[in-house]
Amino acid sequence: MTWTLDAEQIPALARGAAVLGTGGGGDPHIGALLAAQALDRHGPVEVVSVDDVPADARVVMVAMMGAPTVMVEKLPSLDEVVTPVRALEPFLDGPVTHIACAEVGGVNSTIPIVAAAAMGLPLVDGDAMGRAFPELQMVLPTLAGVDATPMAFADDKGNTGVLTTVDNAWAERIARVACVEMGCSVMIAIFPQSGAQLSQTMVAGSLTKAAAIGQAIAAARDANEDPVARAVEALGGRELFGGKVVDIERATTTGFARGRARIEGDGGALELSFQNEHLLAQVDGVVLATTPDLIIVLEHDSGEPITTEGLRYGQRVRVIAAPSDERWHSTEALALVGPRYFGYDIEAHRFDGEREVA
Amino acid sequence: MTWTLDAEQIPALARGAAVLGTGGGGDPHIGALLAAQALDRHGPVEVVSVDDVPADARVVMVAMMGAPTVMVEKLPSLDEVVTPVRALEPFLDGPVTHIACAEVGGVNSTIPIVAAAAMGLPLVDGDAMGRAFPELQMVLPTLAGVDATPMAFADDKGNTGVLTTVDNAWAERIARVACVEMGCSVMIAIFPQSGAQLSQTMVAGSLTKAAAIGQAIAAARDANEDPVARAVEALGGRELFGGKVVDIERATTTGFARGRARIEGDGGALELSFQNEHLLAQVDGVVLATTPDLIIVLEHDSGEPITTEGLRYGQRVRVIAAPSDERWHSTEALALVGPRYFGYDIEAHRFDGEREVA
């Protein structure tokens, strides 16, 4: 299936992507602004289902890499988004034919729209995570044995680089230190793949899903219904907790926005731990949800997604859990994105829609 | 002029290069070993005077980047030396025709010999500093407006990268953090130039000069003469101080071997400050010599050059100053490599062969 994405659809898509982005991927308003600007200038973008991408297509994922705390202060120009794709092309066996998203998230679902619009290329309806994760290698293509490199990166000053690494963890390590040195925010083009590989390596339909979630939230507001309940339904998720943000600790270290937030409500206090994305939700030491499942924070009444860098003292929020793509629960996948990888000494929970709120 | 470099000439060349390397550029014994191994396997290398390189030649500088303290523990294979040159070639308008040295120094005068031998290419008789300096942008090509990039880097694991930067300081910054992450030692191919540019950007004849200094030291030993005096004569330099190393502080920080050494002798105590290379020599607060002039430490009796990482408590040494290439004393050059750049709040001294030892 192929559909046309125009500027009018952007707010819903960006909002829904920020919901699926589990707190990461940058500010959805900024993402929306960028994408709308690109669609205005270059016209609408054709969105193609994973199944309809030709087997010999040359697909490249485009994203912004860095700390979201910095991303929100350093908007890329349209040209900057295209630069890493052009820098990568000499390393491929021909020009790029399709753009794809590495993750869903406020900025990283819309940056690929910018690239597709500016380059006049179709965009794949899918992403490589079905959520957002903080490191480059944390994608389904890694599990499927696809190389992250050759990958290209570019900053706002005009510096570019192309890496070829022995594994995807090395791509992350080298690109991360370069990204930090270049100002904690670079544009990347990564994971070149053929169309034939996508069925193994993508969460299909995630742009459509993001748009549907964003629309459900907007529709509930218009109908004076509960947007959070509608989002939970659209996600196939469960509301874990509601309350007020009473404490936030955060630090931007080694290129990531790390921290914790404490939310007090009727059921006690919920502690959220994050590294760009929300990774762990606990109430009084009882673990309610963990990475790789989705932990989502929505504004209490409006259902507006709140990113990790957008968390503020006094906000009234509701915390939601939703199941991740099933592939993230294999032993191999949990080694890549499970709680222990991030330094939390606990087992990964598996989303359970039936479990009572603690 | 063209001459042929074989394995027999390597020990003198490596020793003389380590003298000119002012404490930096890595262990000359290791450099000599590598070069001799490459010449044994691939045959002798043709060395071409700067004036005799064709104007349309494609010249690339090959070097090891990193902390010498790490370099001495991580010898590159012959293949590793070639990898960055091959990685760079797609960015040039044809294959590389000549290899050149970025600096003179124990390893960085011999690594280009390895590359030339392994690739069957001629080597330029010259280098881009006439000494060694710790950062990529600290070369005469920078003063002449030549870009360091495209540059390539490669590590021992098989990771490679190519950078294109807006200026040479950015090449240093990004390559340095990548180098540190990759284990504090990478091979680089940098400063692609045409043959026509070399007269502006090279210190001509520095391989010949290094070999002559190395031979003078060896000849003095054979003749039971003073090798240090012969080295001073070959350098056009001046002996500053003789004594015993009584204190060394060093730390490998941000990819550099930084530190200070205290040498006690009849004339008081001399303090040496270094960052990969010796940068400052002071006796009781009186500055005797500074970067960009050459500050060289030789073993007291044998005249063997001692690198900054080779300095040991109890060594009897003599400290020599020699003039740098005149181009390093311009205002613009001093901003790049003068004492203030390295954090020492003093003016650059200019070598004075007549001044008395303090």
Side-chain angles (χ1 to χ4, degrees), chain A residues 95-183:
Chain A
V96 169
T97 63
H98 291 70
I99 301 293
C101 299
E103 63 181 7
V104 280
V107 167
N108 274 338
S109 288
T110 47
I111 288 283
I113 298 172
V114 175
M119 300 182 76
L121 293 177
L123 180 67
V124 178
D125 186 2
D127 77 292
M129 304 183 200
R131 48 164 296 157
F133 277 126
E135 299 181 11
L136 296 185
Q137 77 279 13
M138 296 174 169
V139 291
L140 296 172
T142 297
L143 294 180
V146 174
D147 288 335
T149 66
M151 70 165 284
F153 53 92
D155 69 11
D156 56 338
K157 293 166 279 291
N159 298 306
T160 64
V162 178
L163 298 178
T164 306
T165 60
V166 290
D167 60 37
N168 296 353
W170 270 109
E172 161 67 23
R173 286 180 62 171
I174 301 172
R176 185 68 56 183
V177 293
C179 167
V180 171
E181 186 68 19
M182 292 161 94

Side-chain angles (χ1 to χ4, degrees), chain B residues 281-289 349 358:
Chain B
Q282 301 177 86
V283 169
D284 301 328
V286 177
V287 177
L288 298 189
H349 278 225

Side-chain angles (χ1 to χ4, degrees), chain B residues 18-351:
Chain B
V19 171
L20 290 167
T22 67
D27 187 323
H29 302 295
I30 290 173
L33 201 72
L34 267 177
Q37 183 190 349
L39 293 173
D40 276 350
R41 189 189 297 181
H42 299 283
V45 161
E46 188 180 288
V47 182
V48 187
S49 298
V50 166
D51 292 342
D52 291 334
V53 177
D56 62 352
R58 277 180 293 274
V59 187
V60 162
M61 296 183 180
V62 178
M64 199 174 202
M65 177 180 192
T69 32
V70 174
M71 284 186 194
V72 300
E73 291 166 14
K74 269 173 67 173
L75 268 190
S77 68
L78 301 191
D79 284 350
E80 267 175 74
V81 177
V82 174
T83 301
V85 184
R86 293 290 183 224
L88 192 59
E89 278 182 331
F91 292 81
L92 309 179
D93 57 1
V96 169
T97 63
H98 290 70
I99 301 292
C101 299
E103 64 181 7
V104 282
V107 166
N108 274 338
S109 289
T110 47
I111 287 283
I113 298 172
V114 174
M119 300 182 77
L121 294 176
L123 180 67
V124 177
D125 187 2
D127 76 293
M129 303 183 201
R131 48 165 297 158
F133 276 125
E135 299 182 12
L136 296 185
Q137 77 280 15
M138 296 174 169
V139 292
L140 296 172
T142 297
L143 294 180
V146 175
D147 288 335
T149 64
M151 70 165 284
F153 54 91
D155 69 12
D156 55 339
K157 293 167 279 292
N159 298 308
T160 63
V162 178
L163 299 178
T164 307
T165 59
V166 290
D167 62 35
N168 296 353
W170 270 109
E172 161 66 24
R173 286 180 63 171
I174 302 172
R176 185 68 56 182
V177 292
C179 167
V180 170
E181 187 67 20
M182 292 162 95
C184 266
S185 172
V186 294
M187 301 298 315
I188 61 174
I190 192 165
F191 284 101
Q193 293 181 79
S194 71
Q197 293 175 282
L198 298 186
S199 62
Q200 289 283 314
T201 60
M202 299 291 278
V203 176
S206 54
L207 294 186
T208 299
K209 185 177 181 181
I213 292 169
Q215 282 153 9
I217 291 172
R221 287 182 200 168
D222 289 346
N224 273 327
E225 293 173 12
D226 178 11
V228 174
R230 290 287 288 276
V232 168
E233 194 185 316
L235 283 160
R238 184 167 67 89
E239 188 174 338
L240 295 180
F241 198 86
K244 201 173 88 169
V245 178
V246 295
D247 197 21
I248 310 168
E249 284 170 43
R250 67 174 108 228
T252 299
T253 52
T254 62
F256 295 108
R258 298 175 202 264
R260 289 191 295 188
R262 192 175 161 81
I263 299 160
E264 280 185 3
D266 291 342
L270 181 138
E271 188 176 278
L272 272 179
S273 303
F274 54 85
Q275 176 180 325
N276 288 17
E277 284 75 37
H278 300 300
L279 298 174
L280 205 57
Q282 301 177 86
V283 169
D284 301 328
V286 177
V287 177
L288 298 189
T290 72
T291 174
D293 285 332
L294 283 64
I295 300 170
I296 296 158
V297 180
L298 302 181
E299 202 279 323
H300 195 282
D301 298 325
S302 68
E304 199 63 25
I306 298 176
T307 59
T308 53
E309 80 272 17
L311 279 170
R312 297 283 180 273
Y313 174 84
Q315 280 169 335
R316 290 177 62 239
V317 301
R318 287 149 83 179
V319 181
I320 289 164
S324 72
D325 187 278
E326 185 55 33
R327 288 168 280 184
W328 285 125
H329 281 281
S330 74
T331 307
E332 193 192 356
L334 291 176
L336 202 64
V337 300
R340 291 191 204 283
Y341 179 88
F342 294 102
Y344 308 112
D345 189 21
I346 56 168
E347 293 296 318
H349 278 225
R350 186 185 277 267
F351 176 76

Side-chain angles (χ1 to χ4, degrees), chain A residues 189-268:
Chain A
I190 191 164
F191 283 100
Q193 294 180 78
S194 72
Q197 292 176 284
L198 298 186
S199 61
Q200 288 283 312
T201 60
M202 299 291 278
V203 176
S206 54
L207 293 186
T208 298
K209 184 177 181 181
I213 292 169
Q215 282 154 7
I217 290 172
R221 287 183 201 167
D222 290 345
N224 273 327
E225 294 173 14
D226 178 10
V228 174
R230 291 287 288 275
V232 168
E233 193 186 316
L235 282 160
R238 184 166 68 88
E239 189 174 337
L240 295 180
F241 198 86
K244 201 173 88 168
V245 178
V246 295
D247 197 20
I248 309 167
E249 283 170 45
R250 68 174 108 228
T252 298
T253 51
T254 62
F256 295 108
R258 298 176 202 263
R260 290 191 294 189
R262 191 175 163 83
I263 299 159
E264 281 184 2
D266 291 339

